[in-house]
Amino acid sequence: MKSKIWFFISGLFVILSLVSCKQKTVEKNDKYISVNGYATIEAAPDQAEAVFEVKIYDRIAVTAMENSRKNIENISASLKETGVNEKDISISESMIAIENGRYVISTRLKVLIRNIKNAPAIIDSSMGNGKASELVSYKLLVSDISDLEKQVRLSAIQNAYDNAKLTATANGVSLGPVTMIQDITNHLTANYVNNEDQTITLASSVYINYELTNE
């Protein structure tokens, strides 16, 4: 899977850096410097997750539950016909309530779509009479997400180091050891460019304290 990394200095860091050039500098007797690091990485999604809801109304609880079970079986059978593995189908939520004197059985079925190209056919096969009532959610996924998370975290840490090094050097001091790393966060955003060119962006930010030396 092809991906590309973009490095950014956070807006807050840029503003603080500009202000520091005029109003505040790192003095040689300062002991620490704190910086933000930020990075993003883009990748093409190759999987998706769809959540379907089966909602059945009936004045008799037993009948409502039986009809709900049948609908779930119908969806599962249709999904398997489109190539979805049984282990990729799971019930994420199920509840019973009473509305206007009728029992309501609401069940949500989560489906992992391992081949994103099959998503439209899988969704079509799950909707309709005697099947799902609603497509609750649909999100893009990347199968090797853990590797991408590692890459973007390392890039954010490197970005923080570069920021700190630049500021320290400009003020005549040197970077010492790291004294604190805080708030490493990952954010995932799906970017819908068009039907053929969809991307997922992962962003990571980190706040690091470095000790300063006069060496």
Side-chain angles (χ1 to χ4, degrees):
M1 178 182 303
K2 294 182 179 180
S3 60
K4 52 184 177 180
I5 299 177
W6 298 91
F7 299 95
F8 299 92
I9 299 177
S10 66
L12 177 61
F13 180 82
V14 173
I15 293 172
L16 291 177
S17 297
L18 292 174
V19 172
S20 67
C21 291
K22 295 182 179 180
Q23 300 180 7
K24 184 179 179 182
T25 58
V26 177
E27 302 294 342
K28 291 190 176 182
N29 60 354
D30 285 348
K31 295 182 178 180
Y32 305 99
I33 182 174
S34 299
V35 293
N36 292 324
Y38 184 73
T40 64
I41 185 171
E42 292 184 355
D46 57 352
Q47 296 183 349
E49 180 188 274
V51 177
F52 301 94
E53 184 173 52
V54 176
K55 188 173 286 189
I56 299 296
Y57 297 85
D58 202 284
R59 295 190 180 278
I60 301 175
V62 174
T63 305
M65 295 180 70
E66 178 62 19
N67 289 337
S68 178
R69 182 188 64 78
K70 289 180 179 179
N71 281 22
I72 292 173
E73 288 179 352
N74 289 340
I75 296 174
S76 297
S78 295
L79 289 169
K80 291 175 185 177
E81 289 177 359
T82 60
V84 176
N85 194 298
E86 185 174 1
K87 68 179 182 179
D88 293 331
I89 307 170
S90 62
I91 293 177
S92 62
E93 182 180 334
S94 184
M95 61 178 293
I96 182 170
I98 298 178
E99 292 182 12
N100 299 322
R102 295 186 300 172
Y103 291 98
V104 182
I105 308 295
S106 179
T107 305
R108 291 191 174 183
L109 210 62
K110 183 187 295 184
V111 180
L112 175 60
I113 303 172
R114 294 188 180 273
N115 187 343
I116 198 171
K117 293 182 179 180
N118 296 336
I122 289 172
I123 292 173
D124 286 341
S125 71
S126 302
M127 304 297 294
N129 294 331
K131 296 179 182 178
S133 309
E134 179 183 355
L135 174 62
V136 178
S137 66
Y138 176 81
K139 64 181 181 181
L140 301 174
L141 303 173
V142 177
S143 56
D144 60 349
I145 192 71
S146 60
D147 290 337
L148 294 177
E149 287 175 342
K150 291 177 183 178
Q151 290 181 45
V152 76
R153 285 186 177 187
L154 289 174
S155 297
I157 293 172
Q158 181 65 49
N159 181 237
Y161 172 80
D162 292 341
N163 294 340
K165 182 73 172 179
L166 179 64
T167 303
T169 301
N171 287 276
V173 293
S174 300
L175 288 183
V178 173
T179 60
M180 185 270 290
I181 298 179
Q182 182 180 2
D183 295 333
I184 296 180
T185 57
N186 278 3
H187 305 284
L188 185 150
T189 304
N191 305 309
Y192 294 88
V193 181
N194 55 56
N195 290 334
E196 300 298 328
D197 186 16
Q198 298 174 339
T199 62
I200 284 181
T201 300
L202 282 81
S204 183
S205 60
V206 60
Y207 182 77
I208 302 180
N209 280 357
Y210 289 91
E211 184 177 319
L212 294 177
T213 69
N214 293 323
E215 299 178 358

